[in-house]
């Protein structure tokens, strides 16, 4: 890391010239990101600004541009580990990334607009102002494309993912609905237990139900080690954490811990 000499709160001497910089509080105010989060980005090597001799983090224009890239990828639900890998690639080109991000965000915007329209129509349907067909009720809610598929392939291998994907594709609409209902029931049950010890009998019974559910319905048999790895993924991948914690804040962490206990107890 470079050793920098602070000349005033906004400038530092660097390679013989002055570079305008911002302190961490200024960057936090500018972006709406907490100081704690910016410190975390530094700790994991995602965004590590230079520091003054007194230890202040100093963000240059290059750091601000990199932070913008990070937030664009986060808007696409990329996990931080994946963002770090992308930005560290020697062939990374900012302009190409911007075009890619725009295309994906436009797609996301169009999908969200479709879902919002479906909600509006459903409100009208509930109020008796219109009648919806079954097809209209699910417009925009096509989850055939799994946003976690690539991560799953990297962690569990193509055979496991292909087997799971094929089984899910072969389900009828009624079977898919029943599977979804069972899924939600288990998660709601776990959410009610999340403030108890992950090693408690109730928590372990519920996690056992989750383990059995996955192995029965996903088309892939999880070993205990793979099951524990899946739980770790709930924490490492922000998208998993966000979706799981919709059932109750802290549920993803609770499930990770309970799955680890389950693995240890059943080896």
């Amino acid at each position: 890391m470079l050793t920098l000499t602070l000349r005033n709160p906004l400038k530092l001497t660097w390679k013989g010239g002055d570079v305008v910089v911002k302190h961490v509080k200024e960057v936090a105010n500018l972006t709406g990101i907490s100081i704690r989060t910016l410190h975390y980005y530094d700790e994991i090597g995602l965004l590590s600004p230079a520091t003054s001799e007194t230890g202040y983090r100093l963000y240059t224009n290059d750091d601000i541009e990199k932070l913008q890239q990070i937030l664009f990828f986060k808007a696409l639900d990329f996990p931080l580990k994946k963002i770090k890998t992308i930005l560290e690639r020697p062939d990374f080109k900012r302009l190409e990334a911007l075009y890619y991000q725009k295309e994906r965000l436009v797609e996301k915007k169009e999908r969200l607009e479709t879902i919002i329209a479906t909600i509006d129509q459903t409100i009208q349907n509930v109020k008796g102002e219109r009648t919806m067909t079954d097809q209209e009720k699910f417009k925009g809610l096509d989850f055939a494309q799994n946003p976690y598929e690539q991560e799953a392939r990297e962690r569990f291998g193509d055979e496991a993912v292909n087997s799971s994907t094929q089984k899910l594709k072969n389900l009828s609409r009624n079977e898919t609905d029943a599977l979804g209902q069972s899924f939600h029931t288990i998660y709601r049950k776990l959410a009610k237990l999340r403030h108890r010890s992950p090693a408690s009998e109730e928590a372990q019974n519920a996690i056992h139900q989750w383990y059995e559910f996955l192995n029965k319905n996903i088309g892939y048999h999880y070993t205990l080690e793979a099951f524990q790895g899946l739980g770790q993924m709930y924490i490492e991948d922000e998208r998993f954490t966000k979706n799981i914690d919709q059932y109750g804040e802290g549920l993803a962490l609770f499930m990770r811990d309970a799955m680890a206990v389950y693995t240890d107890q059943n080896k």
Side-chain angles (χ1 to χ4, degrees), residues 17 24 70 78 94 123 130 173 177 182 195 197 210 259 265:
V24 66
I70 292 169
F78 276 54
R94 184 183 178 210
I123 291 172
R130 64 165 294 162
R173 168 64 71 176
D177 290 343
S182 297
H195 297 303
S197 168
W210 178 233
M259 291 162 78
Q265 291 182 352

Side-chain angles (χ1 to χ4, degrees), residues 145-158:
Q145 298 300 320
N146 184 355
Y148 310 117
E149 182 167 328
Q150 183 56 40
E151 284 83 359
R153 289 188 186 278
E154 293 174 357
R155 186 174 289 260
F156 302 118
D158 286 342

